[in-house]
């Protein structure tokens, strides 16, 4: 049956916001650049989003989210970035393939995709149905508001294609890092047919400022197709009052939804995803282990590392000097001369070797009560940018554990300007 306009507007309004965030939240400042057209695309996005790094080491958000947290059925909620390198279209693209020609199987209309989702739901009322078919972009998807008598809930699903051996699939299947994201459970498994599955019970807002729950399942088949489903305990993912204690589908039912055979004909209507380009190795000294090693060597002796994680171009540690946990994160970015003028203006300090330094002190960005963020941002004459931030909490989305970060501004500046980042 058709839903009310209020149902549809509320769900699609939240969806549109999520899709815009998908492109915006996955900021590439924090990731090392790769070759070819991706470099050019990322540089364009970097110019558009460059100012955000002065308040955040963006790649650490990607690491913290495991990037699997980055997409719900349509891009997901606050703090979740997208799988692509550029802003997403009005509905989430379901894979990296640039081939927009149809697959070999029969094509499906939006109504047919919606009907398949409805078929998999338990008994209840549906309203606010919307979706898209298999012809062209954004690809097949369905979303609706479901009520099993316990309260209305938004549910959505999309089907797409991905390189099953690529990093995008690996990232989407990874569980998030609790240093950056609050969630109740997350599990991975490989199914008998070789498909890989991630199911997570999390929250729409990482800081839980609103108790909207977001449960998510992501399936990658062995032949490179995806089924991506999300559900909420509210009739819209954002800006709607919580209507029930939990989303309507259990973890088992959510798994059953994405693994159902009803999606195979929809998959067959899609082209295969193009293989991901081979990623060039990071510059010497800018791989994750090297950055972590250098960061630890530059910490003051009083800052005892309790946990941490690293990837190419960035790392974070949680330290404790006896006064409470403190998150410290670093981003090492070569080739950033093209944004020097935007970030390091007349007020920047210029060191004798030509390195420019700006510092920032302000509130945290993820909603943790009383959290502050101190940052030293530097760029060298060869374009190498090093950004170091520290917080007065072990995680941005949890309340402050101490009055100030464990590192002083002088110590942050010393770390960021160290010759070790240039391989010295």
């Amino acid at each position: 049956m058709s839903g009310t306009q209020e149902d549809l507007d509320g769900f699609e309004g939240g969806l549109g916001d999520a899709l815009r965030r998908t492109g915006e939240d996955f900021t590439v400042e924090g990731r090392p650049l790769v070759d070819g057209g991706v470099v050019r695309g990322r540089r364009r996005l970097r110019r558009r989003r460059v100012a955000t790094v002065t308040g955040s080491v963006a790649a650490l958000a990607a690491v913290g989210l495991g990037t699997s947290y980055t997409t719900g059925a349509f891009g997901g909620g606050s703090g979740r970035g997208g799988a692509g390198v550029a802003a997403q279209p009005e509905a989430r693209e379901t894979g990296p393939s640039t081939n927009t020609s149809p697959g070999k199987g029969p094509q499906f209309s939006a109504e047919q995709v919606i009907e398949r989702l409805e078929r998999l739901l338990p008994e209840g009322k549906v309203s606010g149905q919307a979706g898209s078919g298999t012809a062209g972009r954004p690809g097949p998807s369905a979303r609706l508001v479901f009520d099993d008598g316990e309260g209305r809930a938004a549910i959505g699903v999309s089907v797409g294609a991905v390189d099953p051996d690529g990093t995008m699939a690996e990232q989407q299947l990874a569980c998030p890092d609790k240093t950056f994201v609050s969630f109740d459970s997350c599990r991975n498994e490989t199914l008998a047919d070789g498909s890989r599955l991630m199911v997570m019970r999390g929250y729409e807002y990482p800081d839980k400022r609103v108790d909207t729950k977001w449960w998510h399942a992501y399936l990658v088949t062995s032949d490179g197709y995806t089924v991506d489903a999300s559900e909420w305990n509210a009739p819209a993912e954002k800006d709607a009052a919580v209507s029930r204690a939990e989303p309507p589908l259990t973890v088992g039912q959510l798994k059953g939804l994405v693994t159902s055979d009803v999606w195979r004909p929809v998959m067959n209507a899609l082209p295969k995803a193009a293989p991901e380009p081979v990623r060039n190795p990071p510059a010497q000294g800018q791989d994750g282990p090297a950055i972590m090693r250098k960061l630890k060597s530059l910490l003051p002796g009083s800052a005892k590392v309790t946990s941490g994680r690293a990837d190419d171009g960035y790392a974070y540690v949680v330290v404790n000097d006896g006064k409470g946990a403190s998150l410290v994160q670093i981003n090492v970015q070569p080739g950033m001369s093209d944004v020097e003028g935007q970030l390091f203006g007349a007020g920047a300090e210029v060191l004798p070797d030509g390195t420019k330094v700006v510092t920032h002190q302000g509130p945290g960005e993820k909603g943790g009560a009383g959290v502050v963020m101190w940052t030293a941002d530097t760029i060298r004459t060869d374009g190498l940018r090093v950004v170091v931030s520290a917080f007065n909490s072990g995680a941005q989305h949890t309340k402050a554990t101490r009055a100030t970060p464990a590192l002083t501004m002088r110590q942050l500046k010393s770390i960021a300007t160290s010759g070790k980042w240039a391989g010295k």
Side-chain angles (χ1 to χ4, degrees), residues 148-165:
D148 57 2
E150 301 295 326
R152 297 191 307 157
I155 298 177
V157 65
S158 65
V159 180
V162 71
D163 178 355
D165 300 315

Side-chain angles (χ1 to χ4, degrees), residues 24-25 36 45 67 109 137 139 148 152 192 203 205 232 243 254 262 288 299 320 322 341 394 409 413:
E24 292 178 353
D25 288 351
L45 181 58
T67 317
S109 66
R137 295 185 176 183
D148 57 2
R152 297 191 307 157
Y203 295 85
Y205 300 92
W232 292 263
S243 54
L254 194 58
V262 306
L299 294 172
N320 196 321
M409 287 301 304
K413 178 180 172 181

Side-chain angles (χ1 to χ4, degrees), residues 318-390:
V318 178
V319 303
N320 196 321
D321 56 2
K323 300 178 182 178
S326 179
L327 172 65
V328 180
Q329 56 188 26
I330 187 166
N331 199 4
V332 182
Q333 305 167 275
M336 296 293 287
S337 296
D338 57 343
V339 300
E340 181 177 345
Q342 294 174 256
L343 297 176
F344 300 87
E349 177 186 2
V350 182
L351 303 183
D353 65 356
T355 298
K356 294 181 180 179
V357 183
V358 293
T359 58
H360 309 275
Q361 291 180 263
E365 299 178 315
K366 303 301 181 183
V371 173
V372 298
M373 178 180 184
W374 293 0
T375 299
D377 194 350
T378 67
I379 192 165
R380 304 174 194 226
T381 55
D382 63 356
L384 178 66
R385 185 181 179 201
V386 180
V387 189
V388 187
S389 296

Side-chain angles (χ1 to χ4, degrees), residues 28 31-34 38-46 85:
V28 301
R31 298 306 301 265
L33 298 179
V34 296
V38 177
V39 171
R40 292 188 292 274
R42 289 186 174 188
R43 284 188 182 276
R44 285 194 294 270
L45 181 58
R46 184 174 60 208
V85 296

